[in-house]
Amino acid sequence: MMETKFFSNYSLVDWSDLLLNFDSTINYTSWFLNYVEILNTSSEIQNHTFVLYAENIPIAIVPLYIEKINNTLQISMGQEPIYAPIFNKNMSISNSKKYFNYLIKKINDIALQNKCLLARFHYSPLLSYHFLPIEYLNSGYVEGIFYPDWYIFKSKFSFVLNLANNKEYIFNKIRKGHRSNIRQTKKIANLIVIDANSFSTEIFNRYVSLYYKVKGNKRNFEAFKLDEIAIKSGLQFIMICEFDNKFVGAVAFHTYSNKARYNSSIQLYNDNVRIHPTHFLLWSGIEYLKDKGCELLEFGEQVVENKQFKVSLKEKNLSHFKSGWGCDLISNIKVQKEFKNV
């Protein structure tokens, strides 16, 4: 007998215990599932995440959100694809596929009940899924998301760094120019780390001020409150570059279950000083993760010029920057289904 239980019916402790049955990333933690709601209040996002059970055994976790975009509803998170369902790590591939059709029907039913125009899902390059994208494609989904015209939708691969290698090997695989920037900045800048063991409200508030100075008012304060919780819980750490007693750059990393992701960066530019905070902080983050026993670090998507998408110079430069860290290219497929009868 199969049944479902919604995320809202779990305590924080119960959800943490549930995750022990799955190979997951931070994107399936209760912290992140709540974080998505806080980040997307403007789209009136609703959390419909559920867990599939069979004979009281948790089979799959299915993150699911419904939000309003241009006055119509869709299954996505900030218009981005939602992370695909994951299956119990003790389950065989054949058994996983057995339940997948049920999940697809459940998602379709939720979409139709709520009159959703479309649904979007994303395969994390940090996980080995129990099923292939073809399972989605056989159910009416297609690869390729063409709107909005965003960087992430132009990518089928992500840069992932294998941290099993020693530091010297990893450093030598980094592009020569990146290595030079790291060395130069290391000579003149100070490194400040905000993590669970070193959290300081004063330092964190200075980081928030730097963020607003560089990015403007793009995030609400509630999101930074959740960042603070993540740091204190060991789910996030922030590397800060200090020069001349001022914060001039910061990089935030998400981490869970020995897998990490380069989440965001900010940087003040000074044409009068040869300093490269992001290079310095990314390398410092790699060293930190190595020391913590982390296995993989995702740098983000790769984009290349092709017939399907127009790639801007800024996007090319960003992809070129990420390609210089000695990473492997791992499949990062996104799929979408449009519901024509809505």
Side-chain angles (χ1 to χ4, degrees):
M1 177 181 176
M2 288 188 283
E3 58 182 357
T4 57
K5 183 177 178 180
F6 284 101
F7 169 72
S8 57
N9 294 324
Y10 291 83
S11 69
L12 294 178
V13 172
D14 287 343
W15 191 264
S16 294
D17 290 342
L18 172 74
L19 283 180
L20 297 177
N21 298 286
F22 297 84
D23 179 25
S24 62
T25 66
I26 191 172
N27 307 105
Y28 299 87
T29 64
S30 58
W31 174 82
F32 185 83
L33 294 171
N34 288 318
Y35 190 59
V36 170
E37 293 186 73
I38 296 298
L39 287 178
N40 296 286
T41 54
S42 62
S43 65
E44 302 176 23
I45 199 164
Q46 299 175 2
N47 192 339
H48 290 257
T49 298
F50 66 90
V51 180
L52 174 66
Y53 284 84
E55 306 299 335
N56 295 320
I57 296 173
I59 300 300
I61 295 176
V62 186
L64 201 69
Y65 297 92
I66 296 176
E67 59 182 349
K68 185 182 290 185
I69 304 296
N70 298 326
N71 293 318
T72 60
L73 296 177
Q74 64 184 54
I75 294 176
S76 59
M77 53 182 201
Q79 297 196 66
E80 295 185 12
I82 300 167
Y83 285 88
I86 53 175
F87 286 84
N88 192 306
K89 60 187 177 183
N90 296 317
M91 184 175 296
S92 67
I93 293 176
S94 59
N95 280 339
S96 298
K97 289 182 178 180
K98 187 171 67 175
Y99 294 106
F100 187 76
N101 287 337
Y102 178 88
L103 292 181
I104 285 292
K105 184 179 184 305
K106 181 74 174 177
I107 293 168
N108 287 348
D109 289 345
I110 292 173
L112 294 173
Q113 288 166 10
N114 290 275
K115 299 182 179 180
C116 293
L117 186 66
L118 57 84
R120 291 172 171 169
F121 292 95
H122 165 218
Y123 285 79
S124 169
L126 295 175
L127 294 178
S128 297
Y129 289 90
H130 278 196
F131 54 90
L132 300 173
I134 194 170
E135 302 296 334
Y136 270 113
L137 302 181
N138 289 339
S139 304
Y141 284 78
V142 296
E143 287 187 56
I145 299 173
F146 299 97
Y147 58 92
D149 182 31
W150 288 353
Y151 179 90
I152 64 165
F153 295 147
K154 302 173 185 180
S155 168
K156 290 188 177 182
F157 294 91
S158 277
F159 295 105
V160 177
L161 183 63
N162 183 354
L163 296 172
N165 297 307
N166 62 54
K167 290 181 186 179
E168 182 180 5
Y169 177 87
I170 293 174
F171 189 76
N172 288 334
K173 290 280 285 184
I174 295 172
R175 185 179 295 140
K176 184 178 179 181
H178 286 5
R179 297 200 307 266
S180 176
N181 292 339
I182 293 166
R183 291 189 182 104
Q184 175 67 25
T185 305
K186 199 170 185 178
K187 292 176 183 177
I188 60 175
N190 296 321
L191 174 66
I192 297 174
V193 180
I194 306 178
D195 64 7
N197 296 320
S198 63
F199 186 86
S200 160
T201 300
E202 177 190 356
I203 298 296
F204 182 73
N205 288 341
R206 287 180 64 189
Y207 159 73
V208 174
S209 296
L210 175 66
Y211 184 96
Y212 282 134
K213 184 175 182 178
V214 175
K215 298 280 192 178
N217 191 23
K218 290 186 177 181
R219 299 176 79 223
N220 59 48
F221 191 69
E222 291 299 316
F224 285 111
K225 283 186 176 179
L226 279 177
D227 282 334
E228 180 178 337
I229 291 171
I231 293 168
K232 291 178 177 178
S233 303
L235 296 175
Q236 179 172 300
F237 66 94
I238 299 172
M239 295 290 186
I240 298 173
C241 180
E242 183 183 49
F243 176 73
D244 197 21
N245 295 317
K246 297 177 182 177
F247 287 1
V248 296
V251 173
F253 296 83
H254 283 162
T255 179
Y256 178 78
S257 188
N258 292 327
K259 305 177 190 72
R261 191 176 195 277
Y262 163 32
N263 185 55
S264 64
S265 62
I266 48 177
Q267 178 174 319
L268 287 175
Y269 291 92
N270 186 342
D271 294 333
N272 298 318
V273 181
R274 189 170 184 272
I275 188 170
H276 303 274
T278 302
H279 294 80
F280 168 57
L281 296 172
L282 279 172
W283 173 247
S284 299
I286 290 169
E287 290 187 301
Y288 178 96
L289 290 166
K290 278 286 299 175
D291 292 341
K292 296 291 184 180
C294 195
E295 298 167 357
L296 298 171
L297 169 61
E298 182 192 354
F299 270 77
E301 292 86 358
Q302 175 212 44
V303 296
V304 293
E305 196 77 63
N306 60 64
K307 295 179 181 178
Q308 286 185 304
F309 300 103
K310 183 179 179 180
V311 180
S312 69
L313 179 60
K314 182 179 179 181
E315 290 169 335
K316 290 178 184 177
N317 289 339
L318 178 57
S319 190
H320 179 71
F321 170 78
K322 292 178 180 180
S323 71
W325 293 89
C327 299
D328 298 314
L329 281 174
I330 306 298
S331 178
N332 179 16
I333 294 173
K334 303 168 185 69
V335 294
Q336 173 175 291
K337 179 176 181 177
E338 294 185 359
F339 298 92
K340 302 293 186 182
N341 56 339
V342 172

